[in-house]
Amino acid sequence: MARFSTRAILAATRSPEVNQIPSAIPIYQAAAFSTADAAELGEVLTGARPGYAYSRIDNPTTAALGSAVAELEGAEAGLAFATGMAAIHAALVSVVRAGQTIVATQAVYGTTRDLLTRVLAGFGVTTEFVDPTDLAAVDAALGRTGAPVLYVETVSNPTIIVSDIAALAEIAHRHGALLLVDNTFASPFACRPIERGADLVMHSATKYISGHADVLAGIVVGSRERVDACRPILVDVGGALAPIAAFLVLRGIPTLALRMQRHSETALELAAWLEGQGVVERVHYPGLPGSPYHAVAARELDVFGGMLAFELSGGRAAGQAFLDAMQIAERTASLGAFRTITTHPASTTHRQLDADALKASGIAPGLLRCSVGLEDVEDLRVDFDLGLAAAQAAQ
Ligand SMILES: *Cc1c(COP(=O)(O)O)cnc(C)c1O
């Protein structure tokens, strides 16, 4: 009989045989998977037979998440990554080469802008930023640069801009370019860009898809061929998602529809209420009939979503006072969680920008951005009232 250490190792690694279907996808928290013989391992590693060998390459829990989001997005295939940025990086690098240009929305997520201008620029990839709502400018930029990629976000900061995915896909394809869409703010419940002509869709699943602010994850979905082109980047760069993180994201998905409906209902109610408040100069929410994006959003989105922004008349001081007065909403820069999150870009995420640079980014000094959570709307209104009173006093 083997000695104690050997017995401990064998005893603790004997996989249970399970012939029934578990009600949740198990966390396959294993670095590697062993095979019956050397030939099988070789075949699995080279893709000659399906299976698992090493969790950076593939893992059952992580693969289940990629497939689940692909199904929700109406895509052929999906791949999960450690973070949204790892997913966006892989998608971009799978389609662009040194010497080429990316045409990207100027209203792009801050870290994606840094990826384009700090990281990819160092490898000879340039980016031309355009206003995604100016279709003639997008058309001209693609024609001028011969870019292989048009990169946009379904819904984006700072003023909750909504892109016309169908029109952008038509323009991109006419120029022989692919349309890549960051669908994080909309979630697959509100919008499925693949159905509207996009080629690759990325998510920060850290946000709405997981919904509970307790995990980082990213997803790329698209045709099998395009997703397969992202796989070597995942494997060689190493941005693999941990199985336990994949489990946490999967846990959020069954309630995505309920959450998005509630986020949207509450956001619309708050947006309409904020419009009638004295110190509020403008409310940015695509569900408001007066929004410049209302018509596009009504076509592109099934619900208007949980992101809203509004401008206070008292500028930077009012914005800061509003934020500091809130009791329920969290003061942080993330979004898409069950709890309401409010940010004042001018004093936080964009504090390094002076007045002119803020203006160029479309950020008023008194702009607040809110990821509306799942709390009771009456309580949120009380919390916003505290903010408004503090903003008024700070003027
Ligand atoms: C958060 C976010 C990202 C980055 O995702 P991480 O999971 O933080 O890496 C990308 N795009 C958008 C729109 C985001 O909100």
Side-chain angles (χ1 to χ4, degrees):
M1 186 154 113
R3 285 151 217 264
F4 189 88
S5 290
T6 307
R7 276 195 286 131
I9 288 167
L10 295 176
T13 55
R14 213 161 270 131
S15 278
E17 189 180 323
V18 181
N19 293 316
Q20 289 69 42
I21 300 165
S23 59
I25 293 167
I27 304 168
Y28 285 90
Q29 189 69 30
F33 299 81
S34 58
T35 53
D37 54 34
E40 182 187 342
L41 182 59
E43 282 169 20
V44 169
L45 279 171
T46 53
R49 97 152 77 167
Y52 300 93
Y54 188 61
S55 283
R56 172 161 48 71
I57 300 170
D58 213 354
N59 173 281
T61 316
T62 307
L65 173 61
S67 302
V69 178
E71 200 170 324
L72 297 182
E73 286 278 356
E76 231 170 51
L79 209 48
F81 291 80
T83 65
M85 289 320 302
I88 291 167
H89 166 263
L92 283 170
V93 169
S94 76
V95 293
V96 74
R97 294 291 170 266
Q100 294 182 321
T101 299
I102 294 168
V103 173
T105 167
Q106 66 193 15
V108 74
Y109 180 70
T111 310
T112 306
R113 177 181 289 270
D114 291 343
L115 171 66
L116 293 165
T117 59
R118 292 203 305 222
V119 179
L120 294 184
F123 292 89
V125 174
T126 50
T127 300
E128 183 157 329
F129 291 100
V130 291
D131 175 353
T133 64
D134 184 346
L135 299 180
V138 173
D139 196 326
L142 286 168
R144 191 169 53 247
T145 58
V149 187
L150 173 61
Y151 184 95
V152 301
E153 297 176 357
T154 318
V155 178
S156 57
N157 278 327
T159 51
I160 322 302
I161 295 161
V162 182
S163 296
D164 187 338
I165 304 293
L168 291 166
E170 189 276 317
I171 295 169
H173 295 157
R174 186 150 39 76
H175 288 280
L178 299 175
L179 178 64
L180 270 58
V181 179
D182 180 338
N183 198 32
T184 300
F185 275 35
S187 89
F189 180 72
C191 183
R192 290 155 307 281
I194 297 280
E195 292 172 357
R196 312 195 62 73
D199 298 287
L200 280 173
V201 173
M202 293 76 65
H203 278 281
S204 168
T206 310
K207 315 292 168 54
Y208 287 110
I209 292 181
S210 66
H212 290 72
D214 53 8
V215 64
L216 296 175
I219 308 279
V220 176
V221 304
S223 68
R224 183 151 316 273
E225 186 191 350
R226 301 227 172 277
V227 170
D228 278 350
C230 297
R231 193 178 280 280
I233 302 152
L234 168 64
V235 173
D236 299 349
V237 176
L241 183 66
I244 189 164
F247 172 86
L248 288 170
V249 179
L250 283 163
R251 202 166 193 255
I253 289 178
T255 57
L256 179 63
L258 286 174
R259 287 186 285 111
M260 290 310 297
Q261 277 161 346
R262 168 84 166 213
H263 285 305
S264 301
E265 279 164 20
T266 308
L268 179 60
E269 202 168 325
L270 283 176
W273 174 78
L274 280 167
E275 268 194 323
Q277 305 302 310
V279 284
V280 178
E281 277 186 343
R282 281 182 72 185
V283 181
H284 304 278
Y285 185 67
L288 293 173
S291 160
Y293 309 115
H294 185 67
V296 170
R299 267 202 318 275
E300 298 281 320
L301 307 178
D302 290 347
V303 291
F304 294 110
M307 300 302 297
L308 72 86
F310 50 99
E311 292 170 24
L312 299 172
S313 54
R316 206 180 274 255
Q320 204 156 349
F322 184 102
L323 195 68
D324 290 347
M326 305 201 89
Q327 305 276 315
I328 294 171
E330 271 187 302
R331 282 171 286 272
T332 174
S334 194
L335 63 106
F338 55 79
R339 185 160 169 191
T340 295
I341 294 170
T342 309
T343 52
H344 178 225
S347 65
T348 56
T349 50
H350 294 70
R351 69 184 305 165
Q352 74 282 11
L353 302 186
D354 61 19
D356 286 344
L358 271 183
K359 202 167 172 201
S361 314
I363 297 170
L367 180 85
L368 287 148
R369 189 196 76 183
C370 184
S371 168
V372 176
L374 304 177
E375 302 91 341
D376 297 285
V377 65
E378 297 83 355
D379 296 325
L380 288 178
R381 219 180 298 130
V382 169
D383 211 33
F384 277 50
D385 246 341
L386 289 175
L388 291 174
Q392 185 121 44
Q395 282 192 18

